[in-house]
Amino acid sequence: MSRETPFLRGVHRLAAFLAGYVVLLITAGGLVKSLEAGLSVPDWPLSYGMLNPPRWWEIETVRAEHGHRLIAGTVLLLTLWLMIWIVRREPRKWVRGVAVVAFVAVLAQAALGGITVLFFLPTAISVSHAGLAQLFLCLLVVLAVVTSRRWVSEKGAGSPATSASRIVTLVTATTIAIYVQILLGAVMRHTGAGLAIPDFPLAFGGLIPPKLDFAIGIHFAHRMGALLVATLIFWSLGRVLRFASQERVLVIPASLLTLLVLVQGTLGGLVVLTGKAVLPNTLHVGGGALLLALSMMLTLMTRRLDWVARQQGVAPEVEVFETHRLEQAVS
Amino acid sequence: MKKLSILMAIALIPATLAIGCGGGGEEAAAPTQQADSAPAAAPQQAVTGGGAIAGNAKYVNGDPDAAIGMDADPVCASLHPGEVHTEKVVADDNGNLANVFVYVKSGLEGKSYPAPSSTHTLDQIGCQYKPHVSGMQVGQKLVIRNSDPTLHNVHAMPSVNKEFNQGQPFQGMELEHSFDQAEVMVPFKCDVHPWMSSFMAVLDHPFFGVSSEEGSFGIENLPAGTYVLEAWHEEFGTQTVEVTVADGETAQVSFDFSPGAVASAG
Ligand SMILES: [Cu+2]
């Protein structure tokens, strides 16, 4: 970095708040699907021809759908605010670009939400709406992380003991795996395959379903995806503790991911065992978004530490330290 | 709470403007605020003379119709101090089964019956559809009414005709619609109140009936001939029977949806 990037506290706080708020918005969207309330407000962008339909907060389904729209409207406005703020104050061109893309994404996301209502929830549109939501969340996490004090500070380098290059590929793969896993889940939900395998943790009493159609296939893929994601997260935590134990900015998200993936697996099991009860079903969607956001955070910070380290050239004492640790590990 | 919702509403305005057009999904006629229109009872017979079919539908098993809770909308719950049921299986102690739709499935080929001028009414009252099962003709005017002090959305899910979903936020609202293709059945549902459902058959002739609480149904003014009669029930599927109708006579038919039973004519 040629010149000092200023730390824009307000921008960073707004981006971080917005990312958290979008996790709530995605959870609210999960509630709409869990209640099958997507068509309980038949028109769009108005609701029953009004800004707020009568008694919307008293009726479970309308509260979910209309509430989702109100939260979404607020997110759209805050994203516009964030974009304007970043475009005016942020010196890094690529960050300004991400802010603009985030705003375009939220517009497209709103359009997908409207189209899916007006065309009676076609699977492809509903799944796209679910998938773009998570990409939009990732963009906000990018904005929140790259505007953080740690990121912009010239002292952004990790401790000499840190070897981020040993973690980068793994945490990046974990983030991609979580996103794909969420897409599998979205396809499963929107094709009504959530109970295609009726038992849990086994599948039809065995390890592998005895027959395979689309519904059972997508459901089973989501379960296998869960195992893969959990493995990648445990592995990531192990490597973070081994190669970056001094970096709280990596240890904290990696630890939270590990805790959360256990909760998330439990919720997924409960969705099946309760016959898609609304509460675990909704929280499972929110949990997925939170996992993706944390993993994205971990990936970005790891990449940053790796990048800074490579800019500075690998310090010889790090090599020595690594060799020393390896010798310890071997003996 | 009110303040918050106003705040949220204001927050939503630019969202609305930014996205622009509504469009699409406007197949259904716009709701109109008409005064009470007289609900049409049985469909008007387009023909006179001929013979008739009378019969009875049964379901002897004893499963009571499941009770439902309407707590998801406090207004709906307040309209029902007592128990409410799904209306899926309405049978009395003797097994007489209501809500069986009986119609001439074949035997009328080449004949055409214009749509009657009477309207067919689907009412939303007590957060339930009345009637739960009904029939109307292609091209006939359907009036869908909200008689409840709460909002409903009317969501018709045909597979041959065009799907529509229309909101009726206020009591007394009516919307008009007509179907241009014959189809048995067009399911209706309210996505606001998941328990609300209705089934409407759209036929190109007037020879149909729905079994009453006593399980009885009748079809009149049917030209003499041999017909395939189908009985449809939302839970038990369909049964068909062949029946011959003679001028001035009433053919007797019975459908038994009890486990292991079959339809009979005689
Ligand atoms: Cu309703």
Side-chain angles (χ1 to χ4, degrees):
Chain A
M1 205 155 292
S2 51
R3 61 188 163 131
E4 183 79 17
T5 308
F7 172 54
L8 305 172
R9 185 194 303 273
V11 169
H12 170 63
R13 286 192 173 167
L14 178 58
F17 169 78
L18 196 46
Y21 197 52
V22 166
V23 171
L24 178 77
L25 172 60
I26 290 173
T27 311
L31 176 64
V32 169
K33 176 61 189 161
S34 300
L35 286 171
E36 299 294 355
L39 294 177
S40 65
V41 180
D43 50 341
W44 183 88
L46 290 174
S47 293
Y48 287 87
M50 289 162 264
L51 281 176
N52 287 303
R55 294 175 48 255
W56 66 270
W57 62 91
E58 282 182 26
I59 307 166
E60 194 175 41
T61 44
V62 181
R63 182 172 56 224
E65 170 63 20
H66 188 66
H68 179 57
R69 293 183 182 194
L70 292 182
I71 298 171
T74 312
V75 163
L76 193 143
L77 276 184
L78 291 175
T79 308
L80 176 65
W81 180 17
L82 180 68
M83 178 191 70
I84 292 171
W85 203 351
I86 287 179
V87 164
R88 293 181 59 176
R89 297 281 308 280
E90 171 61 52
R92 289 168 292 178
K93 196 176 173 194
W94 71 272
V95 177
R96 296 200 299 271
V98 172
V100 172
V101 171
F103 184 65
V104 172
V106 78
L107 290 181
Q109 178 65 356
L112 282 177
I115 289 167
T116 207
V117 164
L118 296 179
F119 290 90
F120 321 114
L121 314 180
T123 301
I125 306 291
S126 293
V127 171
S128 305
H129 186 61
L132 183 56
Q134 307 283 346
L135 289 181
F136 173 61
L137 172 62
C138 287
L139 290 172
L140 292 175
V141 172
V142 168
L143 290 175
V145 170
V146 306
T147 55
S148 67
R149 191 193 293 277
R150 178 67 192 264
W151 187 284
V152 298
S153 156
E154 279 300 324
K155 299 185 199 74
S159 97
T162 299
S163 181
S165 63
R166 312 289 289 265
I167 316 170
V168 155
T169 312
L170 179 60
V171 293
T172 307
T174 303
T175 301
I176 294 168
I178 292 173
Y179 184 69
V180 172
Q181 169 68 351
I182 288 173
L183 282 187
L184 286 175
V187 173
M188 182 184 73
R189 272 166 84 69
H190 291 279
T191 54
L195 297 175
I197 298 176
D199 50 343
F200 181 88
L202 292 176
F204 298 98
L207 286 176
I208 290 171
K211 58 180 166 34
L212 222 58
D213 54 21
F214 178 79
I216 295 172
I218 191 82
H219 186 119
F220 194 64
H222 189 63
R223 290 193 186 187
M224 292 299 104
L227 286 181
L228 176 69
V229 163
T231 306
L232 288 172
I233 287 175
F234 296 149
W235 191 6
S236 294
L237 177 66
R239 282 181 89 84
V240 165
L241 291 178
R242 181 156 169 219
F243 295 112
S245 59
Q246 310 295 310
E247 308 298 340
R248 290 180 59 209
V249 75
L250 303 190
V251 172
I252 291 173
S255 308
L256 288 176
L257 274 171
T258 308
L259 273 178
L260 192 61
V261 79
L262 295 173
V263 174
Q264 181 70 347
T266 308
L267 286 170
L270 282 174
V271 171
V272 173
L273 295 175
T274 60
K276 293 201 289 190
V278 171
L279 188 65
N281 207 356
T282 304
L283 292 179
H284 191 62
V285 174
L290 205 52
L291 278 169
L292 182 65
L294 281 170
S295 184
M296 190 73 192
M297 214 187 287
L298 175 61
T299 303
L300 290 167
M301 281 319 301
T302 306
R303 289 191 159 271
R304 173 66 174 171
L305 289 176
D306 182 38
W307 186 83
V308 172
R310 277 195 278 121
Q311 291 300 106
Q312 294 171 345
V314 181
E317 60 267 38
V318 177
E319 294 279 31
V320 171
F321 182 84
E322 275 303 318
T323 319
H324 181 63
R325 281 202 36 163
L326 278 172
E327 278 163 0
Q328 273 193 329
V330 168
S331 61
Chain B
M1 192 68 212
K2 194 178 173 193
K3 213 170 166 184
L4 183 70
S5 71
I6 291 169
L7 204 79
M8 283 177 152
I10 292 167
L12 195 62
I13 295 170
T16 306
L17 296 178
I19 309 307
C21 65
E26 305 289 338
E27 295 84 2
T32 50
Q33 281 280 27
Q34 296 171 348
D36 294 16
S37 67
Q44 280 191 354
Q45 304 305 318
V47 290
T48 54
I53 295 172
N56 185 275
K58 288 223 176 261
Y59 174 70
V60 185
N61 198 21
D63 296 346
D65 193 17
I68 44 175
M70 293 189 176
D71 294 340
D73 184 342
V75 165
C76 297
S78 73
L79 294 171
H80 294 275
E83 231 178 32
V84 216
H85 297 268
T86 65
E87 302 183 298
K88 282 184 192 300
V89 183
V90 181
D92 67 14
D93 291 343
N94 299 318
N96 296 309
L97 182 64
N99 290 334
V100 174
F101 185 78
V102 181
Y103 70 106
V104 173
K105 189 175 188 182
S106 65
L108 289 164
E109 289 75 13
K111 299 191 173 73
S112 87
Y113 298 91
S117 56
S118 63
T119 55
H120 179 53
T121 302
L122 180 64
D123 199 5
Q124 297 154 101
I125 183 161
C127 298
Q128 288 182 304
Y129 284 112
K130 300 287 173 208
H132 183 65
V133 173
S134 63
M136 63 181 287
Q137 272 184 257
V138 171
Q140 190 178 357
K141 196 204 293 184
L142 167 66
V143 173
I144 304 172
R145 181 181 160 80
N146 180 5
S147 296
D148 283 327
T150 188
L151 55 78
H152 295 289
N153 72 297
V154 184
H155 185 185
M157 300 172 294
S159 36
V160 180
N161 288 282
K162 225 173 169 188
E163 184 169 2
F164 68 86
N165 186 16
Q166 185 93 30
Q168 292 194 312
F170 298 112
Q171 191 168 25
M173 277 185 140
E174 287 183 350
L175 71 89
E176 288 174 10
H177 189 79
S178 73
F179 293 102
D180 49 18
Q181 303 281 328
E183 184 171 0
V184 178
M185 287 287 205
V186 177
F188 279 76
K189 80 167 175 182
C190 173
D191 299 275
V192 174
H193 307 112
W195 59 83
M196 287 178 69
S197 74
S198 178
F199 296 90
M200 195 178 292
V202 182
L203 294 173
D204 50 14
H205 63 73
F207 305 110
F208 56 85
V210 180
S211 68
S212 66
E213 302 259 309
E214 292 78 41
S216 60
F217 56 86
I219 297 172
E220 285 172 0
N221 303 112
L222 190 57
T226 300
Y227 301 98
V228 173
L229 207 60
E230 183 169 85
W232 173 99
H233 186 271
E234 68 173 288
E235 290 286 293
F236 307 131
T238 56
Q239 291 183 4
T240 52
V241 69
E242 198 171 82
V243 60
T244 300
V245 175
D247 279 335
E249 289 180 17
T250 299
Q252 294 293 325
V253 176
S254 71
F255 293 100
D256 194 339
F257 287 94
S258 312
V262 287
S264 66

